[in-house]
Amino acid sequence: MGIGTLFKKSAILSFFRELIVYHHSSLEFRAKLLAAMIVAGGEMKDCERDLLKKITKEIYPDNVDRAEILYHTTMEYVDKVIEDNGLDLDELLIDIDKELKETPRFVKKIDLESLKRFVGCSLDEDSKITRIRILEFFENEIKDYDKKE
């Protein structure tokens, strides 16, 4: 599959995601979590790309299409942040927090073990620390929602 074909497929999926993807808001939330961990390292490298492919397949082991949509959705968020296209890491984290307040059940979508794997992709101390702080933020979100139940 050529890059042009892949781009067209990604653009179509992005445009129609809300219509064709069952529980698209849950998938979008997961994409934001993954994107936050990726962009915390700065530029996306092969390590993050390979890890993202593995994690999306682990999240949806029996649904290749959904795993692919999650991958592409995550990449859209990563691209928006990296290209400074109206979104940055802080805004992404604020959006995650807002979604958790609006839809508390999403807290169950936070898989800390999968997200921790991105720390291993950190090439410098700053990106490692940033990723660890984001994990701590997610851990606190889980604790806060566990207290409410």
Side-chain angles (χ1 to χ4, degrees):
M1 181 180 309
I3 290 178
T5 305
L6 186 61
F7 176 76
K8 288 176 188 172
K9 185 176 181 181
S10 180
I12 291 169
L13 287 173
S14 175
F15 186 74
F16 291 105
R17 185 168 37 244
E18 289 185 32
L19 299 174
I20 62 174
V21 178
Y22 182 69
H23 288 295
H24 75 89
S25 58
S26 170
L27 184 141
E28 293 262 347
F29 180 76
R30 282 186 163 134
K32 290 174 185 177
L33 294 171
L34 292 164
M37 291 303 293
I38 292 168
V39 299
E43 192 174 301
M44 185 162 190
K45 298 169 285 310
D46 288 340
C47 180
E48 286 92 353
R49 191 179 324 280
D50 294 343
L51 188 53
L52 177 60
K53 286 178 185 176
K54 287 177 191 172
I55 290 172
T56 58
K57 289 176 184 175
E58 290 167 6
I59 291 172
Y60 299 116
D62 300 323
N63 192 332
V64 175
D65 292 334
R66 195 162 175 87
E68 187 173 320
I69 293 168
L70 177 58
Y71 175 85
H72 288 290
T73 304
T74 304
M75 291 302 294
E76 286 176 30
Y77 283 111
V78 169
D79 289 343
K80 281 182 182 180
V81 173
I82 290 175
E83 294 174 7
D84 195 22
N85 200 6
L87 186 67
D88 65 20
L89 180 57
D90 290 337
E91 291 169 323
L92 190 56
L93 293 172
I94 289 168
D95 194 41
I96 289 168
D97 185 55
K98 179 182 167 194
E99 283 194 46
L100 284 170
K101 285 179 177 58
E102 292 172 0
T103 315
R105 74 177 184 280
F106 281 178
V107 77
K108 292 179 172 71
K109 306 294 180 190
I110 302 173
D111 179 357
L112 291 173
E113 293 308 310
S114 290
L115 297 173
K116 284 178 185 176
R117 293 159 64 187
F118 285 104
V119 174
C121 292
S122 303
L123 295 178
D124 60 66
E125 198 62 27
D126 287 342
S127 64
K128 183 177 182 177
I129 289 169
T130 303
R131 285 180 167 149
I132 290 170
R133 295 288 184 260
I134 292 170
L135 286 167
E136 290 170 350
F137 167 73
F138 293 152
E139 287 173 359
N140 287 329
E141 293 290 297
I142 292 169
K143 287 176 188 173
D144 287 346
Y145 285 92
D146 284 346
K147 289 177 188 176
K148 292 177 184 176
E149 290 187 347

